[in-house]
Amino acid sequence: MSPAAARETFGAKRKAAIFANVVLMGVLAIAAAIIVVYLTGFTTVKARFDLTRQGTYTLSAETERLLSSMEQDVEVITVFDRSRNFWWDTEQVRVKAMDFIADLLQEYKVRGSGKVAVTHLDPITQNAAILDLFQQLGIRDYNVVIVRGATGQRRVLGLETDLVDLDFGSPEPFRPMQLLAYRVEEGLSGAIFEVTQGKPAKVYVTNGHGELSLNDARDRGLTAVGALLTQDNVVVEPLALNVAKAVPADADAVLILGPVEPFLPDERAAVEAYLRSGRARLVVSIDPFGDTSLDPLWQSIGLTLERNVVCHDQGGTMQAVGASEMVVGPQAPGRYGSHPIVDALNESQRYVVLSRSMGLSASAGAENTFTSLMTSHADAWGDLPAASGGPGNYKWDANQETKSQRTLAAIVEPRGPFTGAKVVFFGSDRWAWNAFMTASLNQHARGHFDLARRCVSWLVGRRKSIELAPRRVNQVFSDLRPEEYDDILLYIVVYLPLAALGLTILVGFARRR
Amino acid sequence: MSQTRAYLILAAREVESYFLAPLMFLVFTVFLVLNGFAFYLSLGDAAGNVDLAVRNFLGGSLLFWINILLVPPLLTMRLVAEEKRTGTIEGLMTAPVQDVVVVLAKFTGALCFWIALWAPSIVYLLILRGFGSLPDPGILATSYLGVLLLGALLLACGLLASAVSPNQIVSAVLAVVFDLLLFFFPLLSMQMPQGALRRGLEHVSVLFHFQSSFGKGVLDTGVIAVYLVGTALPLFFAVRALESRRWS
């Protein structure tokens, strides 16, 4: 081989060796990078530190345990409409709440080891997808967080009903909306727990007696409650007692809402048998002028329906409220009792309107536990004669009506042959009407939503999987006046760049010399 | 001469060259004006919430990302490409200095200038303090750390672009393409079904991490590792690119 050829061969070999070396080193470097990223991102080597002053993004130990023990994937979808606002929400507290929820969801996603997928749907650009989803789940309004498990279980959390406590303020007289506290972690973790580890409750709603109907979307219908419970991971089905003859064994609770026609003897027997079964869980709402055929049964568990209409002279203090409407709330004259069903309503300052409600009382000598949930004003009266079939005149008649605080809703836990039964009783069916549930975003609708859900949750024994104190987030606000904003603009956009430029030029000249 | 000493000399030379280059005066001034304006807008958008203003300013505004996308390529475009064009690279290559030292020194110079660009924004906070409100120190610390790490990552990409480009213009364009890929390629994960690939892409998403970690005041070792590894990898390939001149 000539020296030139040998040089060429040597050169080619050298190039090939260098090339192989470069490729190998490159591949090794990329592999090392992937290993490091994997180890630090997906294994226990990973650590995350919340350096914010208030530990804003630190999830509770319970949530951490829940996320680390999850075996199913969970999809969390937010549908927030940031553009719709109330003019008296001058500090945009709802938008801030939405931002906080989105931030905290990132923490869930990051700490969920890939099992939590978060999607934010935009009402403007993804409206078709949102409508599709809303139709599937019976959702009526924006500003919800939907949590879905792999097995199809779901919870729908409302911004104002489940995730934040707001003081809604008022436009007239002007009082701006205020953010009281966040319940985001409690809501989200509870929902994730339910859809991954809980089982849906089954609730039956009786029909055939003129009750509020699950298929009736008009004012006196129950479609809103049906949708609400479905979103709450509850399976809701109608129950025709005249056909079934008994309450199904898989019933976690039965709702008897607004019957106006009498129950047949077989049906009464079925309800009684259910009450005697020891597993009875009932929500009963009966209008003062509604069905009376079950009254003896209620009497036997120790509950007397007064068949009057509780009225109160509002004295002009509540202009939109009639004499027979009781506004029950923490700041209203009517009051909540002390029970898990109404405690949260009390804490979150939510109202319920009980319209045309009769009074309820414990039967004399009855053996039961009678817990008053809601009471009227201290000087209300039970207007008569409701029992004769027509409304009273809603005026106080000193001869036959006495003024005193009346119970409007109560829980009866009877003893004796009915031991084990739990009955939540309302002296009016109107609170559950669509008309009261869908008064979009007003204070009362949110109270009624909460009331319906909490009644069922308590009856079916659904406990909160995670109990967390509401989180108060204090943010630092500057109190700059408009002219101070202008000063800041001048400082940072004009003076500072000029100063920096001058300094740089000076240093440059000095160095050149 | 030890390699450490060579590194220090070369890095000092690079830093000096940044502060003496007329183009950099211009970059510096324009950057400060844009940044100042971004801060002013952020403060206004946040309706006085200073923590939110800091988050908008450092990662939550379009101006921030425009700065982030365009400034590093401007800083790095000349680093190696210009030396190649003027021929001074030959002197550097024949000097008793390892290629890795050359690359690290150039990277250090660019990073120092990057820090100098952002340092005046501390004054914004002092001004805010003068008006009686100071943002959450945790959010501030992590946000600035994020800016530093993101800058290092993009400067490393720019340095690689400069090392493989014949001139400054190509280098700058290539660096912007690298940056865009870095920002937007992981966003493909949003179109993917749940799975390892989606998780992997999400984990290397620079945009996502800035919002989910640094901007919120949360420090995540996994995120820091992504940035550090993302910085080391282009630097490694930049060294290889420099070495390749010796092979031909």
Side-chain angles (χ1 to χ4, degrees), chain A residues 22 40 46-49 51-53 103 107 476 478 492 501 504 511, chain B residues 16 25 29 36 48 50 55 133 136 212 216-217 219-221 225 229 247:
Chain A
V22 167
T40 53
K46 178 186 170 75
R48 202 166 160 88
F49 307 98
L51 301 187
T52 55
R53 202 163 21 204
D103 280 342
E107 290 301 307
V476 180
S478 68
I492 63 180
L501 182 65
T504 315
R511 292 288 298 169
Chain B
E16 189 181 297
F25 292 159
T29 309
V50 289
R55 284 187 65 178
S133 41
D136 191 322
S212 73
K216 282 164 49 177
L219 217 53
D220 188 319
T221 53
V229 168
W247 312 333

PDB file of all heavy atoms in Angstrom, chain A residues 22 40 46-49 51-53 103 107 476 478 492 501 504 511, chain B residues 16 25 29 36 48 50 55 133 136 212 216-217 219-221 225 229 247:
ATOM      1  N   VAL A  22     -18.458   9.891  19.045  1.00  0.00           N
ATOM      2  CA  VAL A  22     -19.380  11.021  19.245  1.00  0.00           C
ATOM      3  C   VAL A  22     -20.818  10.516  19.394  1.00  0.00           C
ATOM      4  O   VAL A  22     -21.551  10.932  20.291  1.00  0.00           O
ATOM      5  CB  VAL A  22     -19.275  12.007  18.057  1.00  0.00           C
ATOM      6  CG1 VAL A  22     -20.432  13.009  18.091  1.00  0.00           C
ATOM      7  CG2 VAL A  22     -17.953  12.744  18.117  1.00  0.00           C
ATOM      8  N   THR A  40     -35.655  11.991  39.339  1.00  0.00           N
ATOM      9  CA  THR A  40     -36.043  13.166  40.131  1.00  0.00           C
ATOM     10  C   THR A  40     -37.505  13.541  39.940  1.00  0.00           C
ATOM     11  O   THR A  40     -38.078  14.265  40.753  1.00  0.00           O
ATOM     12  CB  THR A  40     -35.178  14.382  39.760  1.00  0.00           C
ATOM     13  OG1 THR A  40     -35.234  14.548  38.339  1.00  0.00           O
ATOM     14  CG2 THR A  40     -33.754  14.196  40.195  1.00  0.00           C
ATOM     15  N   LYS A  46     -37.927  12.574  44.344  1.00  0.00           N
ATOM     16  CA  LYS A  46     -38.572  13.861  44.120  1.00  0.00           C
ATOM     17  C   LYS A  46     -39.017  14.510  45.438  1.00  0.00           C
ATOM     18  O   LYS A  46     -39.564  13.842  46.307  1.00  0.00           O
ATOM     19  CB  LYS A  46     -39.789  13.611  43.243  1.00  0.00           C
ATOM     20  CG  LYS A  46     -40.639  14.791  42.906  1.00  0.00           C
ATOM     21  CD  LYS A  46     -41.855  14.250  42.173  1.00  0.00           C
ATOM     22  CE  LYS A  46     -42.895  15.307  41.989  1.00  0.00           C
ATOM     23  NZ  LYS A  46     -42.549  16.258  40.960  1.00  0.00           N
ATOM     24  N   ALA A  47     -38.774  15.788  45.545  1.00  0.00           N
ATOM     25  CA  ALA A  47     -39.258  16.512  46.724  1.00  0.00           C
ATOM     26  C   ALA A  47     -39.822  17.846  46.261  1.00  0.00           C
ATOM     27  O   ALA A  47     -39.388  18.397  45.255  1.00  0.00           O
ATOM     28  CB  ALA A  47     -38.116  16.746  47.706  1.00  0.00           C
ATOM     29  N   ARG A  48     -40.801  18.332  47.000  1.00  0.00           N
ATOM     30  CA  ARG A  48     -41.464  19.572  46.602  1.00  0.00           C
ATOM     31  C   ARG A  48     -41.622  20.443  47.845  1.00  0.00           C
ATOM     32  O   ARG A  48     -42.097  19.969  48.881  1.00  0.00           O
ATOM     33  CB  ARG A  48     -42.819  19.215  46.001  1.00  0.00           C
ATOM     34  CG  ARG A  48     -43.410  20.257  45.090  1.00  0.00           C
ATOM     35  CD  ARG A  48     -44.545  19.656  44.294  1.00  0.00           C
ATOM     36  NE  ARG A  48     -45.441  20.671  43.773  1.00  0.00           N
ATOM     37  CZ  ARG A  48     -45.287  21.286  42.607  1.00  0.00           C
ATOM     38  NH1 ARG A  48     -44.275  20.961  41.830  1.00  0.00           N
ATOM     39  NH2 ARG A  48     -46.128  22.201  42.205  1.00  0.00           N
ATOM     40  N   PHE A  49     -41.189  21.682  47.756  1.00  0.00           N
ATOM     41  CA  PHE A  49     -41.234  22.564  48.926  1.00  0.00           C
ATOM     42  C   PHE A  49     -42.087  23.788  48.630  1.00  0.00           C
ATOM     43  O   PHE A  49     -41.862  24.464  47.628  1.00  0.00           O
ATOM     44  CB  PHE A  49     -39.807  23.012  49.295  1.00  0.00           C
ATOM     45  CG  PHE A  49     -38.850  21.870  49.463  1.00  0.00           C
ATOM     46  CD1 PHE A  49     -38.008  21.509  48.425  1.00  0.00           C
ATOM     47  CD2 PHE A  49     -38.795  21.142  50.641  1.00  0.00           C
ATOM     48  CE1 PHE A  49     -37.125  20.444  48.547  1.00  0.00           C
ATOM     49  CE2 PHE A  49     -37.922  20.081  50.780  1.00  0.00           C
ATOM     50  CZ  PHE A  49     -37.085  19.728  49.741  1.00  0.00           C
ATOM     51  N   LEU A  51     -42.737  27.337  49.456  1.00  0.00           N
ATOM     52  CA  LEU A  51     -42.040  28.433  50.134  1.00  0.00           C
ATOM     53  C   LEU A  51     -42.924  29.653  50.364  1.00  0.00           C
ATOM     54  O   LEU A  51     -42.444  30.684  50.810  1.00  0.00           O
ATOM     55  CB  LEU A  51     -40.808  28.848  49.312  1.00  0.00           C
ATOM     56  CG  LEU A  51     -39.761  27.769  49.047  1.00  0.00           C
ATOM     57  CD1 LEU A  51     -38.535  28.376  48.369  1.00  0.00           C
ATOM     58  CD2 LEU A  51     -39.331  27.089  50.335  1.00  0.00           C
ATOM     59  N   THR A  52     -44.205  29.540  50.038  1.00  0.00           N
ATOM     60  CA  THR A  52     -45.062  30.711  50.236  1.00  0.00           C
ATOM     61  C   THR A  52     -45.249  30.993  51.728  1.00  0.00           C
ATOM     62  O   THR A  52     -45.177  30.082  52.555  1.00  0.00           O
ATOM     63  CB  THR A  52     -46.456  30.506  49.602  1.00  0.00           C
ATOM     64  OG1 THR A  52     -47.015  29.313  50.134  1.00  0.00           O
ATOM     65  CG2 THR A  52     -46.370  30.384  48.106  1.00  0.00           C
ATOM     66  N   ARG A  53     -45.488  32.249  51.998  1.00  0.00           N
ATOM     67  CA  ARG A  53     -45.558  32.708  53.395  1.00  0.00           C
ATOM     68  C   ARG A  53     -46.591  31.911  54.204  1.00  0.00           C
ATOM     69  O   ARG A  53     -46.367  31.554  55.337  1.00  0.00           O
ATOM     70  CB  ARG A  53     -45.938  34.196  53.375  1.00  0.00           C
ATOM     71  CG  ARG A  53     -45.570  34.956  54.592  1.00  0.00           C
ATOM     72  CD  ARG A  53     -45.579  36.452  54.357  1.00  0.00           C
ATOM     73  NE  ARG A  53     -46.362  36.888  53.215  1.00  0.00           N
ATOM     74  CZ  ARG A  53     -46.156  38.021  52.566  1.00  0.00           C
ATOM     75  NH1 ARG A  53     -45.192  38.814  52.914  1.00  0.00           N
ATOM     76  NH2 ARG A  53     -46.913  38.372  51.553  1.00  0.00           N
ATOM     77  N   ASP A 103     -54.710  26.673  40.471  1.00  0.00           N
ATOM     78  CA  ASP A 103     -53.367  26.486  41.042  1.00  0.00           C
ATOM     79  C   ASP A 103     -53.291  25.241  41.913  1.00  0.00           C
ATOM     80  O   ASP A 103     -52.351  24.460  41.834  1.00  0.00           O
ATOM     81  CB  ASP A 103     -52.979  27.703  41.894  1.00  0.00           C
ATOM     82  CG  ASP A 103     -52.492  28.850  41.046  1.00  0.00           C
ATOM     83  OD1 ASP A 103     -52.134  28.602  39.879  1.00  0.00           O
ATOM     84  OD2 ASP A 103     -52.477  29.980  41.541  1.00  0.00           O
ATOM     85  N   GLU A 107     -51.292  21.249  41.867  1.00  0.00           N
ATOM     86  CA  GLU A 107     -50.638  20.479  42.936  1.00  0.00           C
ATOM     87  C   GLU A 107     -51.156  19.045  42.952  1.00  0.00           C
ATOM     88  O   GLU A 107     -50.401  18.097  43.127  1.00  0.00           O
ATOM     89  CB  GLU A 107     -50.879  21.127  44.299  1.00  0.00           C
ATOM     90  CG  GLU A 107     -50.168  22.433  44.502  1.00  0.00           C
ATOM     91  CD  GLU A 107     -48.667  22.304  44.365  1.00  0.00           C
ATOM     92  OE1 GLU A 107     -48.064  21.458  45.036  1.00  0.00           O
ATOM     93  OE2 GLU A 107     -48.093  23.038  43.538  1.00  0.00           O
ATOM     94  N   VAL A 476     -51.468  40.115  49.922  1.00  0.00           N
ATOM     95  CA  VAL A 476     -50.992  41.464  50.206  1.00  0.00           C
ATOM     96  C   VAL A 476     -51.448  42.379  49.072  1.00  0.00           C
ATOM     97  O   VAL A 476     -51.215  42.097  47.904  1.00  0.00           O
ATOM     98  CB  VAL A 476     -49.451  41.476  50.281  1.00  0.00           C
ATOM     99  CG1 VAL A 476     -48.952  42.870  50.578  1.00  0.00           C
ATOM    100  CG2 VAL A 476     -48.991  40.497  51.346  1.00  0.00           C
ATOM    101  N   SER A 478     -51.504  46.318  47.520  1.00  0.00           N
ATOM    102  CA  SER A 478     -50.941  47.656  47.612  1.00  0.00           C
ATOM    103  C   SER A 478     -52.101  48.642  47.540  1.00  0.00           C
ATOM    104  O   SER A 478     -53.136  48.351  46.957  1.00  0.00           O
ATOM    105  CB  SER A 478     -49.983  47.910  46.459  1.00  0.00           C
ATOM    106  OG  SER A 478     -50.700  47.971  45.256  1.00  0.00           O
ATOM    107  N   ILE A 492     -39.650  53.239  36.529  1.00  0.00           N
ATOM    108  CA  ILE A 492     -39.122  51.970  36.014  1.00  0.00           C
ATOM    109  C   ILE A 492     -39.026  51.914  34.491  1.00  0.00           C
ATOM    110  O   ILE A 492     -38.285  51.107  33.967  1.00  0.00           O
ATOM    111  CB  ILE A 492     -39.948  50.763  36.528  1.00  0.00           C
ATOM    112  CG1 ILE A 492     -41.385  50.818  36.035  1.00  0.00           C
ATOM    113  CG2 ILE A 492     -39.905  50.649  38.014  1.00  0.00           C
ATOM    114  CD1 ILE A 492     -42.240  49.667  36.516  1.00  0.00           C
ATOM    115  N   LEU A 501     -28.326  52.658  31.381  1.00  0.00           N
ATOM    116  CA  LEU A 501     -27.616  52.915  30.129  1.00  0.00           C
ATOM    117  C   LEU A 501     -26.408  53.817  30.382  1.00  0.00           C
ATOM    118  O   LEU A 501     -25.286  53.558  29.925  1.00  0.00           O
ATOM    119  CB  LEU A 501     -28.578  53.582  29.129  1.00  0.00           C
ATOM    120  CG  LEU A 501     -28.021  53.878  27.753  1.00  0.00           C
ATOM    121  CD1 LEU A 501     -27.671  52.595  27.029  1.00  0.00           C
ATOM    122  CD2 LEU A 501     -29.033  54.680  26.930  1.00  0.00           C
ATOM    123  N   THR A 504     -23.659  51.946  32.164  1.00  0.00           N
ATOM    124  CA  THR A 504     -22.979  50.997  31.285  1.00  0.00           C
ATOM    125  C   THR A 504     -22.000  51.728  30.356  1.00  0.00           C
ATOM    126  O   THR A 504     -20.869  51.281  30.136  1.00  0.00           O
ATOM    127  CB  THR A 504     -24.010  50.227  30.428  1.00  0.00           C
ATOM    128  OG1 THR A 504     -25.091  49.822  31.258  1.00  0.00           O
ATOM    129  CG2 THR A 504     -23.391  49.025  29.775  1.00  0.00           C
ATOM    130  N   ARG A 511     -13.285  51.379  30.955  1.00  0.00           N
ATOM    131  CA  ARG A 511     -12.548  50.160  30.624  1.00  0.00           C
ATOM    132  C   ARG A 511     -11.685  50.386  29.374  1.00  0.00           C
ATOM    133  O   ARG A 511     -10.550  49.928  29.286  1.00  0.00           O
ATOM    134  CB  ARG A 511     -13.527  49.001  30.365  1.00  0.00           C
ATOM    135  CG  ARG A 511     -14.260  48.543  31.584  1.00  0.00           C
ATOM    136  CD  ARG A 511     -13.404  47.786  32.551  1.00  0.00           C
ATOM    137  NE  ARG A 511     -12.874  46.571  31.956  1.00  0.00           N
ATOM    138  CZ  ARG A 511     -11.924  45.824  32.502  1.00  0.00           C
ATOM    139  NH1 ARG A 511     -11.404  46.185  33.651  1.00  0.00           N
ATOM    140  NH2 ARG A 511     -11.492  44.733  31.919  1.00  0.00           N
TER     141      ARG A 511
ATOM    142  N   GLU B  16     -16.622  40.806  30.028  1.00  0.00           N
ATOM    143  CA  GLU B  16     -16.176  42.143  29.627  1.00  0.00           C
ATOM    144  C   GLU B  16     -16.685  42.472  28.226  1.00  0.00           C
ATOM    145  O   GLU B  16     -17.160  43.578  27.968  1.00  0.00           O
ATOM    146  CB  GLU B  16     -14.645  42.178  29.681  1.00  0.00           C
ATOM    147  CG  GLU B  16     -14.082  43.563  29.496  1.00  0.00           C
ATOM    148  CD  GLU B  16     -12.564  43.522  29.543  1.00  0.00           C
ATOM    149  OE1 GLU B  16     -12.027  43.160  30.610  1.00  0.00           O
ATOM    150  OE2 GLU B  16     -11.923  43.808  28.516  1.00  0.00           O
ATOM    151  N   PHE B  25     -25.510  47.317  24.815  1.00  0.00           N
ATOM    152  CA  PHE B  25     -26.103  48.512  25.448  1.00  0.00           C
ATOM    153  C   PHE B  25     -27.565  48.623  25.028  1.00  0.00           C
ATOM    154  O   PHE B  25     -28.455  48.878  25.818  1.00  0.00           O
ATOM    155  CB  PHE B  25     -25.402  49.804  24.986  1.00  0.00           C
ATOM    156  CG  PHE B  25     -23.990  49.947  25.463  1.00  0.00           C
ATOM    157  CD1 PHE B  25     -23.116  50.793  24.797  1.00  0.00           C
ATOM    158  CD2 PHE B  25     -23.523  49.274  26.576  1.00  0.00           C
ATOM    159  CE1 PHE B  25     -21.816  50.957  25.224  1.00  0.00           C
ATOM    160  CE2 PHE B  25     -22.220  49.434  27.011  1.00  0.00           C
ATOM    161  CZ  PHE B  25     -21.360  50.278  26.326  1.00  0.00           C
ATOM    162  N   THR B  29     -30.903  48.281  27.353  1.00  0.00           N
ATOM    163  CA  THR B  29     -31.854  49.379  27.535  1.00  0.00           C
ATOM    164  C   THR B  29     -33.263  48.966  27.105  1.00  0.00           C
ATOM    165  O   THR B  29     -34.242  49.195  27.831  1.00  0.00           O
ATOM    166  CB  THR B  29     -31.402  50.609  26.712  1.00  0.00           C
ATOM    167  OG1 THR B  29     -30.046  50.867  27.035  1.00  0.00           O
ATOM    168  CG2 THR B  29     -32.243  51.823  27.020  1.00  0.00           C
ATOM    169  N   GLY B  36     -39.819  46.983  32.503  1.00  0.00           N
ATOM    170  CA  GLY B  36     -40.469  47.980  33.341  1.00  0.00           C
ATOM    171  C   GLY B  36     -41.937  48.102  32.976  1.00  0.00           C
ATOM    172  O   GLY B  36     -42.817  48.142  33.838  1.00  0.00           O
ATOM    173  N   GLY B  48     -53.865  45.576  42.267  1.00  0.00           N
ATOM    174  CA  GLY B  48     -53.217  45.888  43.535  1.00  0.00           C
ATOM    175  C   GLY B  48     -52.717  44.700  44.318  1.00  0.00           C
ATOM    176  O   GLY B  48     -52.022  44.852  45.318  1.00  0.00           O
ATOM    177  N   VAL B  50     -50.189  42.381  45.101  1.00  0.00           N
ATOM    178  CA  VAL B  50     -48.774  42.416  44.726  1.00  0.00           C
ATOM    179  C   VAL B  50     -48.206  41.018  44.445  1.00  0.00           C
ATOM    180  O   VAL B  50     -47.319  40.861  43.610  1.00  0.00           O
ATOM    181  CB  VAL B  50     -47.899  43.156  45.772  1.00  0.00           C
ATOM    182  CG1 VAL B  50     -48.177  44.634  45.730  1.00  0.00           C
ATOM    183  CG2 VAL B  50     -48.114  42.616  47.153  1.00  0.00           C
ATOM    184  N   ARG B  55     -46.354  37.372  40.053  1.00  0.00           N
ATOM    185  CA  ARG B  55     -46.568  36.169  39.229  1.00  0.00           C
ATOM    186  C   ARG B  55     -46.814  36.540  37.774  1.00  0.00           C
ATOM    187  O   ARG B  55     -46.350  35.865  36.861  1.00  0.00           O
ATOM    188  CB  ARG B  55     -47.754  35.364  39.761  1.00  0.00           C
ATOM    189  CG  ARG B  55     -47.428  34.598  40.994  1.00  0.00           C
ATOM    190  CD  ARG B  55     -48.565  33.696  41.390  1.00  0.00           C
ATOM    191  NE  ARG B  55     -48.800  32.660  40.397  1.00  0.00           N
ATOM    192  CZ  ARG B  55     -49.724  31.719  40.522  1.00  0.00           C
ATOM    193  NH1 ARG B  55     -50.478  31.706  41.578  1.00  0.00           N
ATOM    194  NH2 ARG B  55     -49.881  30.804  39.602  1.00  0.00           N
ATOM    195  N   SER B 133     -45.922  47.985  50.323  1.00  0.00           N
ATOM    196  CA  SER B 133     -46.353  46.587  50.177  1.00  0.00           C
ATOM    197  C   SER B 133     -45.232  45.758  49.550  1.00  0.00           C
ATOM    198  O   SER B 133     -44.683  46.130  48.514  1.00  0.00           O
ATOM    199  CB  SER B 133     -47.606  46.497  49.309  1.00  0.00           C
ATOM    200  OG  SER B 133     -47.511  47.368  48.228  1.00  0.00           O
ATOM    201  N   ASP B 136     -44.797  38.333  48.591  1.00  0.00           N
ATOM    202  CA  ASP B 136     -44.391  37.139  49.325  1.00  0.00           C
ATOM    203  C   ASP B 136     -42.944  36.783  48.969  1.00  0.00           C
ATOM    204  O   ASP B 136     -42.635  36.544  47.800  1.00  0.00           O
ATOM    205  CB  ASP B 136     -45.325  35.994  48.913  1.00  0.00           C
ATOM    206  CG  ASP B 136     -45.170  34.780  49.799  1.00  0.00           C
ATOM    207  OD1 ASP B 136     -44.022  34.481  50.181  1.00  0.00           O
ATOM    208  OD2 ASP B 136     -46.189  34.137  50.098  1.00  0.00           O
ATOM    209  N   SER B 212     -46.556  26.111  37.282  1.00  0.00           N
ATOM    210  CA  SER B 212     -46.975  25.210  38.359  1.00  0.00           C
ATOM    211  C   SER B 212     -45.985  25.178  39.514  1.00  0.00           C
ATOM    212  O   SER B 212     -46.302  24.643  40.567  1.00  0.00           O
ATOM    213  CB  SER B 212     -47.134  23.790  37.818  1.00  0.00           C
ATOM    214  OG  SER B 212     -45.874  23.228  37.572  1.00  0.00           O
ATOM    215  N   LYS B 216     -45.464  30.019  41.530  1.00  0.00           N
ATOM    216  CA  LYS B 216     -46.360  29.907  42.679  1.00  0.00           C
ATOM    217  C   LYS B 216     -45.635  29.967  44.015  1.00  0.00           C
ATOM    218  O   LYS B 216     -46.259  29.991  45.054  1.00  0.00           O
ATOM    219  CB  LYS B 216     -47.094  28.558  42.615  1.00  0.00           C
ATOM    220  CG  LYS B 216     -48.222  28.532  41.638  1.00  0.00           C
ATOM    221  CD  LYS B 216     -48.678  27.138  41.314  1.00  0.00           C
ATOM    222  CE  LYS B 216     -48.913  26.264  42.501  1.00  0.00           C
ATOM    223  NZ  LYS B 216     -49.424  24.936  42.114  1.00  0.00           N
ATOM    224  N   GLY B 217     -44.314  29.906  43.965  1.00  0.00           N
ATOM    225  CA  GLY B 217     -43.562  29.864  45.217  1.00  0.00           C
ATOM    226  C   GLY B 217     -43.298  28.445  45.668  1.00  0.00           C
ATOM    227  O   GLY B 217     -43.091  28.195  46.853  1.00  0.00           O
ATOM    228  N   LEU B 219     -41.003  24.963  45.157  1.00  0.00           N
ATOM    229  CA  LEU B 219     -39.736  24.459  44.620  1.00  0.00           C
ATOM    230  C   LEU B 219     -39.829  22.947  44.481  1.00  0.00           C
ATOM    231  O   LEU B 219     -40.153  22.263  45.443  1.00  0.00           O
ATOM    232  CB  LEU B 219     -38.627  24.824  45.598  1.00  0.00           C
ATOM    233  CG  LEU B 219     -37.277  25.209  45.022  1.00  0.00           C
ATOM    234  CD1 LEU B 219     -37.429  26.305  43.989  1.00  0.00           C
ATOM    235  CD2 LEU B 219     -36.349  25.655  46.124  1.00  0.00           C
ATOM    236  N   ASP B 220     -39.551  22.465  43.290  1.00  0.00           N
ATOM    237  CA  ASP B 220     -39.713  21.044  43.024  1.00  0.00           C
ATOM    238  C   ASP B 220     -38.388  20.511  42.485  1.00  0.00           C
ATOM    239  O   ASP B 220     -37.884  21.004  41.462  1.00  0.00           O
ATOM    240  CB  ASP B 220     -40.830  20.880  41.988  1.00  0.00           C
ATOM    241  CG  ASP B 220     -41.223  19.428  41.781  1.00  0.00           C
ATOM    242  OD1 ASP B 220     -40.313  18.585  41.749  1.00  0.00           O
ATOM    243  OD2 ASP B 220     -42.421  19.151  41.650  1.00  0.00           O
ATOM    244  N   THR B 221     -37.846  19.514  43.172  1.00  0.00           N
ATOM    245  CA  THR B 221     -36.534  19.007  42.745  1.00  0.00           C
ATOM    246  C   THR B 221     -36.615  18.413  41.337  1.00  0.00           C
ATOM    247  O   THR B 221     -35.658  18.506  40.561  1.00  0.00           O
ATOM    248  CB  THR B 221     -36.038  17.917  43.714  1.00  0.00           C
ATOM    249  OG1 THR B 221     -37.076  16.930  43.843  1.00  0.00           O
ATOM    250  CG2 THR B 221     -35.706  18.481  45.069  1.00  0.00           C
ATOM    251  N   ALA B 225     -34.340  19.631  38.274  1.00  0.00           N
ATOM    252  CA  ALA B 225     -33.536  18.661  37.523  1.00  0.00           C
ATOM    253  C   ALA B 225     -33.778  18.778  36.022  1.00  0.00           C
ATOM    254  O   ALA B 225     -32.838  18.696  35.218  1.00  0.00           O
ATOM    255  CB  ALA B 225     -33.855  17.247  38.001  1.00  0.00           C
ATOM    256  N   VAL B 229     -30.643  19.533  33.734  1.00  0.00           N
ATOM    257  CA  VAL B 229     -30.291  18.550  32.707  1.00  0.00           C
ATOM    258  C   VAL B 229     -30.470  19.176  31.320  1.00  0.00           C
ATOM    259  O   VAL B 229     -29.648  18.990  30.417  1.00  0.00           O
ATOM    260  CB  VAL B 229     -31.162  17.273  32.858  1.00  0.00           C
ATOM    261  CG1 VAL B 229     -31.022  16.376  31.652  1.00  0.00           C
ATOM    262  CG2 VAL B 229     -30.772  16.533  34.116  1.00  0.00           C
ATOM    263  N   TRP B 247     -11.776  17.269  13.873  1.00  0.00           N
ATOM    264  CA  TRP B 247     -11.838  15.990  13.172  1.00  0.00           C
ATOM    265  C   TRP B 247     -11.629  16.167  11.678  1.00  0.00           C
ATOM    266  O   TRP B 247     -11.154  15.281  11.001  1.00  0.00           O
ATOM    267  CB  TRP B 247     -13.198  15.303  13.355  1.00  0.00           C
ATOM    268  CG  TRP B 247     -13.670  15.243  14.759  1.00  0.00           C
ATOM    269  CD1 TRP B 247     -12.888  15.229  15.869  1.00  0.00           C
ATOM    270  CD2 TRP B 247     -15.007  15.228  15.193  1.00  0.00           C
ATOM    271  NE1 TRP B 247     -13.656  15.193  16.984  1.00  0.00           N
ATOM    272  CE2 TRP B 247     -14.982  15.181  16.598  1.00  0.00           C
ATOM    273  CE3 TRP B 247     -16.236  15.223  14.545  1.00  0.00           C
ATOM    274  CZ2 TRP B 247     -16.137  15.156  17.356  1.00  0.00           C
ATOM    275  CZ3 TRP B 247     -17.386  15.174  15.297  1.00  0.00           C
ATOM    276  CH2 TRP B 247     -17.322  15.157  16.697  1.00  0.00           C
TER     277      TRP B 247
END
